[in-house]
Amino acid sequence: MLLTLDIGNSNITIGAFDGEELVFTARMKTDRLRTENQYAIEILDILKLYIKEFTFKGAIISSVVPELTDIIRKAVLDVTACEPIIIGPGIKTGLNVATHNAGEIGADLIAGAVGATLKYPLPAIVVDLGTATKIYIVSENKEFVGGIIAPGVRISMDALANECSQLPTVSLTAPKKAISLNTTECMKSGIVFGFASLIDGMLKRFKEEYGEVKTIVATGGLSKPIVTNCEHRIILDENLLLNGLQAIFNKNA
């Protein structure tokens, strides 16, 4: 089996592949204060929850939290007895990078772009709604063309509740109408419809600058309630990054 981990700023997504089959996915909260042993225990508990017996042939990690990368690498090594591959310079991805500084591109963007080349017709636009909102293009030649980074949905929701004394914390659900009649519904409209409009507006600009694309795919833990309210037809693929990690592992194993 293959263990895949995507370390994000809010959550760590874990998946295990048995051949080409994704056996399970799970999430852990990203905690920069936890130790190698604490992460090892939680990873082991998750594995035991979903798999009765397991032997791993390898592991691969993408991380945008540098201070946790080596801690979780050691935890994965303890649990699987496999030295994990870390997405970074020198790793074969099959992806060409057209940006000014390839080293600046986050490992999560690389994994998502590789997942898009593996699963969907190109060129494709990937919308990744996590702690940050990321939208980027992968060309028909498997080239990372570039994109945008904006504040994430959860960051915006937390900022409203924390910085505005009279505003409450609300759930991420769409109201019935954009023009709302109470504070809670107004906030839901602003977040859900506001981010849907941001995505639709950026997709329109991308197409004007780049041209038409064959696929628009969304991923990330907060994508579903947002993209279902977009005007564009967007495929929802919550496992895009894990599929990308699997493909990268196969190129480097």
Side-chain angles (χ1 to χ4, degrees), residues 39-50 79:
Y39 273 114
I41 290 168
E42 186 165 0
I43 293 169
L44 187 59
D45 285 343
I46 289 172
L47 292 175
K48 289 179 178 178
L49 179 65
Y50 290 100
V79 171

Side-chain angles (χ1 to χ4, degrees), residues 120 125-129 134 199 215-220 223-224 226-228 230 233-241:
Y120 299 104
I125 297 177
V126 179
V127 179
D128 187 344
L129 294 172
K134 295 149 284 190
I199 292 167
T215 305
I216 305 174
V217 57
T219 192
S223 56
K224 188 174 182 179
I226 305 298
V227 301
T228 51
C230 290
R233 181 182 178 276
I234 303 175
I235 300 167
L236 186 63
D237 187 341
E238 296 178 347
N239 300 321
L240 184 71
L241 270 65

